[in-house]
Amino acid sequence: MNIRALDLLDLPTLSRYRNAAILLDSTRALTRGNPLGAAGFLSHFNPARHVYTAITKENGDSLLGSVIHTPSETFARLLYLAPASLLTHPSLVPLIENLSAQAGAWGAFHVIAEVDETSEAFPALRNSGFAVYAWQRLWNLSSITESASKSGWKRTRDVDIPSIQSLYHQIVPPLLQPVEPMPRQAEGFICNGGVRCHVGATSGTAGIVLSPLIHPDVEMVEDHLATLTQSLTSRGTRPVYVRVRSYQAWLEPVLEDLGALAGPRQAVMVKHLARILKNEEAMKAVQPAGASVQPSRVSHIETKKQP
């Protein structure tokens, strides 16, 4: 089996699989479109970006996979696997492992993949060392009618960051914190009634994805969610999605009542590439001058019998 990096001679294969790939980074797919498009293809050959696509061919079958990493982050993301018709192919697991190895070469500690729980890629990812850390669903807010209520959201300021980070630690489980970045910059929106609800926003030419952190004690959550789109003044005609992960599943009935459209449930899968180990170093005990250490001796142990 030969697994190698994509090159220009593979352009026909990439074009043939453009509409046959399974996308594993939902936010990027919804905001930037199909990564197998022309713009996505050119990014593979940009040396300034950590984007790697591998291809393997066996018995006339060709399989593709891609991984991406942002240098400032400790994790990488699988972008896609293709084609969807060959997800049970025996070469898929070695291909995924090759992509993970490249992420490790970039310095990433983890690799993330988001996959529909019914997808045939699920077993291959499990066999490649990925485990389910959470579930998520993306809800389309585009069909929600404009709310008559005034939006209670305002732009995040630098002074709000400590409160947002405190909210993050209250809501995001410790198991997910290494792969779900804590907000460090004044981005997104907060509610006017104190920093107990924050929404991060990722936008692109194809759409906008909102990532909420909302405390369960917040009142009038339905009104807050209904007015979210009013805060996106430069939205235009782009669709708006809300990403809800399993640790905030209580938001899903609220979104359903508002008329938001639910996407398929996805598994958030993580593969660990490295573990942070505490170094344990043996140290010699310092013995005072002239002192000697005698071994202790036990000549008799008397036990008391229980009545």
Side-chain angles (χ1 to χ4, degrees), residues 30-31 138-144 189 199-204 206-211 225 227-243 255 260-261:
L30 292 174
T31 57
L138 284 111
W139 292 75
N140 191 333
L141 297 183
S142 305
S143 60
I144 296 179
F189 306 90
V199 171
T202 302
S203 61
I208 301 172
V209 173
L210 304 176
S211 303
L225 293 175
T227 59
L228 256 178
T229 55
Q230 297 179 24
S231 305
L232 306 172
T233 54
S234 58
R235 168 193 173 188
T237 59
R238 290 176 294 173
V240 180
Y241 305 88
V242 172
R243 188 190 69 185
L255 289 166
L261 301 178

Side-chain angles (χ1 to χ4, degrees), residues 148-212:
S149 303
K150 185 179 179 181
S151 176
W153 299 89
K154 61 180 181 181
R155 289 280 183 180
T156 301
R157 302 171 299 168
D158 289 338
V159 70
D160 300 319
I161 294 178
S163 297
I164 294 172
Q165 292 178 344
S166 175
L167 179 67
Y168 165 91
H169 284 291
Q170 293 177 59
I171 294 177
V172 180
L175 194 65
L176 272 173
Q177 289 179 11
V179 296
E180 185 158 334
M182 178 176 64
R184 299 184 184 277
Q185 298 180 347
E187 297 175 344
F189 306 90
I190 61 171
C191 291
N192 283 333
V195 186
R196 290 197 299 169
C197 45
H198 170 259
V199 171
T202 302
S203 61
T205 56
I208 301 172
V209 173
L210 304 176
S211 303

Side-chain angles (χ1 to χ4, degrees):
M1 182 188 307
N2 180 28
I3 302 176
R4 58 174 176 78
L6 191 77
D7 59 37
L8 289 172
L9 296 178
D10 300 311
L11 183 58
T13 302
L14 191 74
S15 177
R16 186 167 71 250
Y17 287 167
R18 180 176 182 181
N19 297 317
I22 174 172
L23 307 183
L24 302 173
D25 184 347
S26 300
T27 297
R28 183 175 293 270
L30 292 174
T31 57
R32 303 189 184 186
N34 191 337
L36 278 77
F41 175 77
L42 293 176
S43 68
H44 298 159
F45 302 98
N46 183 351
R49 299 191 64 188
H50 285 181
V51 181
Y52 170 71
T53 298
I55 183 171
T56 180
K57 296 182 179 182
E58 185 176 355
N59 299 326
D61 296 325
S62 297
L63 285 87
L64 292 173
S66 187
V67 64
I68 189 169
H69 173 243
T70 300
S72 61
E73 294 178 339
T74 60
F75 57 88
R77 294 181 179 274
L78 289 185
L79 277 178
Y80 63 82
L81 297 171
S85 60
L86 294 178
L87 294 178
T88 58
H89 196 283
S91 297
L92 187 60
V93 170
L95 178 66
I96 296 172
E97 292 175 345
N98 178 271
L99 298 173
S100 301
Q102 178 59 59
W106 287 328
F109 295 151
H110 322 276
V111 184
I112 305 173
E114 299 167 354
V115 59
D116 293 0
E117 58 182 347
T118 59
S119 171
E120 290 183 336
F122 191 92
L125 289 166
R126 290 294 297 266
N127 292 333
S128 303
F130 284 78
V132 177
Y133 268 47
W135 302 94
Q136 72 176 21
R137 199 188 308 269
L138 284 111
W139 292 75
N140 191 333
L141 297 183
S142 305
S143 60
I144 296 179
T145 57
E146 194 78 11
S147 175
S149 303
K150 185 179 179 181
S151 176
W153 299 89
K154 61 180 181 181
R155 289 280 183 180
T156 301
R157 302 171 299 168
D158 289 338
V159 70
D160 300 319
I161 294 178
S163 297
I164 294 172
Q165 292 178 344
S166 175
L167 179 67
Y168 165 91
H169 284 291
Q170 293 177 59
I171 294 177
V172 180
L175 194 65
L176 272 173
Q177 289 179 11
V179 296
E180 185 158 334
M182 178 176 64
R184 299 184 184 277
Q185 298 180 347
E187 297 175 344
F189 306 90
I190 61 171
C191 291
N192 283 333
V195 186
R196 290 197 299 169
C197 45
H198 170 259
V199 171
T202 302
S203 61
T205 56
I208 301 172
V209 173
L210 304 176
S211 303
L213 289 174
I214 300 179
H215 198 282
D217 291 341
V218 172
E219 299 178 352
M220 302 175 64
V221 174
E222 185 170 345
D223 290 341
H224 288 317
L225 293 175
T227 59
L228 256 178
T229 55
Q230 297 179 24
S231 305
L232 306 172
T233 54
S234 58
R235 168 193 173 188
T237 59
R238 290 176 294 173
V240 180
Y241 305 88
V242 172
R243 188 190 69 185
V244 178
R245 288 195 164 161
S246 48
Y247 53 83
Q248 290 203 116
W250 64 275
L251 292 174
E252 292 200 334
V254 181
L255 289 166
E256 187 175 10
D257 290 342
L258 288 172
L261 301 178
R265 197 172 82 144
Q266 297 178 319
V268 181
M269 306 186 74
V270 179
K271 177 175 182 175
H272 298 288
L273 304 178
R275 293 182 179 179
I276 301 176
L277 301 178
K278 294 182 179 179
N279 293 326
E280 297 183 0
E281 185 176 351
M283 300 183 65
K284 294 182 178 180
V286 179
Q287 180 176 314
S292 61
V293 178
Q294 299 293 331
S296 61
R297 295 180 179 177
V298 178
S299 59
H300 179 69
I301 297 177
E302 183 178 352
T303 60
K304 186 179 180 181
K305 294 182 178 180
Q306 297 295 329

